[in-house]
Amino acid sequence: MVTLATTHPCSINLSLFVSNSDCFIQLSNPNIATMQEDVLYHFNLSTSTHDFPAMFGDVKFVCVGGSSSRMRTFIKYVAAELGLDHPGKEYTNICAGTDRYAMYKAGPVLSVSHGMGIPSIGIMLHELIKMLYHARCSNITIIRIGTSGGIGLEPGSVVITQQAVDECFKPEFEQIVLGKRVIRNTNLDPQLVQELVQCSSDLNEFPTVVGNTMCTLDFYEGQGRLDGALCSYTEKDKQAYLRAAHAAGVRNIEMESSVFATMCSACGLKAAVVCVTLLDRLQGDQINTPHDVLVEYQQRPQRLVGHFIKKSLGRA
């Protein structure tokens, strides 16, 4: 399996007297600099009503995931692991004025929900990245933690994404902009992948693999399921497609990684995707695992990333 090299350039704000080692968020949008106010509508935050540097300037780690309850659980877990607050402390939802997304903060860690699918995480990332930019954050590591369907893996396996690919197994994200097709790469940070692999070895608690992650626009036909309201193919067709995906290095399927990789790469963010598999799609389409087992599975990416943060801060 070949690791694809990539770099994440630093965008230095020359009006700030900082060392050359600081890597600031870069926005590929000159319009932001001319705006008197930037309203982050889906977060219920604004540069005119909130002091972003005071609220978020110390953030170094951002973890995002689909469910708001899962991200609340994660911030409580990582705060306890870092010894930031007393056990059982409840964290306030910073985006409490909206029901679109939830955001929690503990020390240098930010935990944000993104909903399900490319449109939902795409909207969240636009506003999150702008928020970090306005807060003058530097040297940010952002990791998506979530669930997925595995291909040829035992349920409960954790996949660290080497490359996000589309439904044709290409490392690309395609978007229509002003009626034109725009294709961007889906690079992730290879060094961060290796650091996460080492953290998994440190824990030695669950099977972890590095592989490509296929990002789809749909949960049913887009992932070759046979149990949706529409289905125009056979079990044989499905198996052939999933086995072709496996041969192309794909080890799991979800619905957010491509736009996540694209946007983070374009804005100079060191990024990774860590997802647990809830089933092996070669064996079936529906999840029948008991709830308590699924809950433990969902905690695995959290434990891995929590250990990475502790280790990065010298607290492991």
Side-chain angles (χ1 to χ4, degrees):
M1 194 173 295
V2 178
T3 299
L4 302 178
T6 181
T7 58
H8 296 274
C10 295
S11 176
I12 303 300
N13 184 339
L14 297 180
S15 66
L16 301 174
F17 295 96
V18 296
S19 70
N20 289 331
S21 63
D22 284 323
C23 188
F24 284 85
I25 307 297
Q26 59 180 16
L27 299 183
S28 184
N29 180 4
N31 300 301
I32 302 300
T34 67
M35 296 170 59
Q36 292 185 345
E37 178 187 16
D38 193 359
V39 177
L40 308 184
Y41 174 75
H42 301 91
F43 284 168
N44 195 39
L45 299 173
S46 169
T47 54
S48 67
T49 57
H50 297 81
D51 186 343
F52 286 6
M55 294 173 67
F56 306 110
D58 62 337
V59 169
K60 296 298 179 185
F61 304 95
V62 181
C63 296
V64 303
S67 162
S68 58
S69 61
R70 193 183 305 153
M71 301 321 292
R72 183 176 64 249
T73 298
F74 175 73
I75 203 67
K76 294 171 70 173
Y77 169 76
V78 78
E81 287 291 294
L82 297 176
L84 296 175
D85 290 299
H86 63 81
K89 174 180 175 178
E90 290 298 326
Y91 288 85
T92 301
N93 177 10
I94 298 170
C95 300
T98 176
D99 60 359
R100 295 296 182 186
Y101 304 106
M103 180 186 299
Y104 305 93
K105 183 179 183 297
V109 183
L110 198 65
S111 179
V112 191
S113 69
H114 59 59
M116 183 180 290
I118 285 174
S120 185
I121 191 175
I123 293 168
M124 187 281 292
L125 285 171
H126 275 284
E127 299 190 11
L128 173 66
I129 293 171
K130 289 197 298 174
M131 186 190 82
L132 298 172
Y133 169 82
H134 291 307
R136 304 185 191 120
C137 292
S138 63
N139 304 322
I140 295 288
T141 297
I142 181 168
I143 302 176
R144 169 171 138 67
I145 53 178
T147 59
S148 64
I151 302 182
L153 298 177
E154 287 294 319
S157 300
V158 171
V159 179
I160 301 171
T161 303
Q162 174 177 270
Q163 185 81 67
V165 300
D166 65 13
E167 298 92 335
C168 296
F169 322 141
K170 295 180 180 179
E172 300 174 347
F173 173 65
E174 179 181 299
Q175 187 170 13
I176 305 298
V177 179
L178 301 182
K180 299 179 181 179
R181 296 181 184 276
V182 176
I183 297 176
R184 299 184 173 109
N185 69 61
T186 54
N187 292 334
L188 291 164
D189 190 282
Q191 180 180 347
L192 182 53
V193 168
Q194 295 308 312
E195 291 173 0
L196 289 165
V197 169
Q198 183 57 56
C199 286
S200 178
S201 296
D202 295 345
L203 293 175
N204 195 28
E205 295 178 358
F206 39 76
T208 303
V209 302
V210 175
N212 292 343
T213 295
M214 183 165 68
C215 181
T216 68
L217 298 176
D218 170 56
F219 185 80
Y220 285 97
E221 284 190 297
Q223 296 186 12
R225 279 183 162 83
L226 299 169
D227 59 343
L230 304 175
C231 184
S232 58
Y233 44 84
T234 66
E235 169 72 21
K236 182 179 179 181
D237 296 332
K238 165 198 154 181
Q239 288 291 332
Y241 177 69
L242 293 180
R243 293 188 185 282
H246 188 274
V250 175
R251 293 297 176 266
N252 64 334
I253 310 172
E254 45 87 276
M255 297 190 293
E256 294 86 18
S257 60
S258 62
V259 69
F260 174 81
T262 290
M263 292 186 66
C264 291
S265 177
C267 294
L269 288 162
K270 186 167 69 170
V273 178
V274 181
C275 290
V276 68
T277 61
L278 301 184
L279 76 167
D280 180 0
R281 288 296 318 289
L282 293 173
Q283 303 302 318
D285 295 334
Q286 297 199 334
I287 301 171
N288 299 312
T289 306
H291 176 72
D292 58 334
V293 176
L294 290 177
V295 169
E296 194 279 323
Y297 284 172
Q298 292 173 21
Q299 292 171 351
R300 293 180 178 186
Q302 297 186 22
R303 297 206 299 272
L304 174 53
V305 173
H307 180 72
F308 165 78
I309 293 173
K310 285 178 65 177
K311 191 173 182 179
S312 299
L313 294 173
R315 301 184 187 183

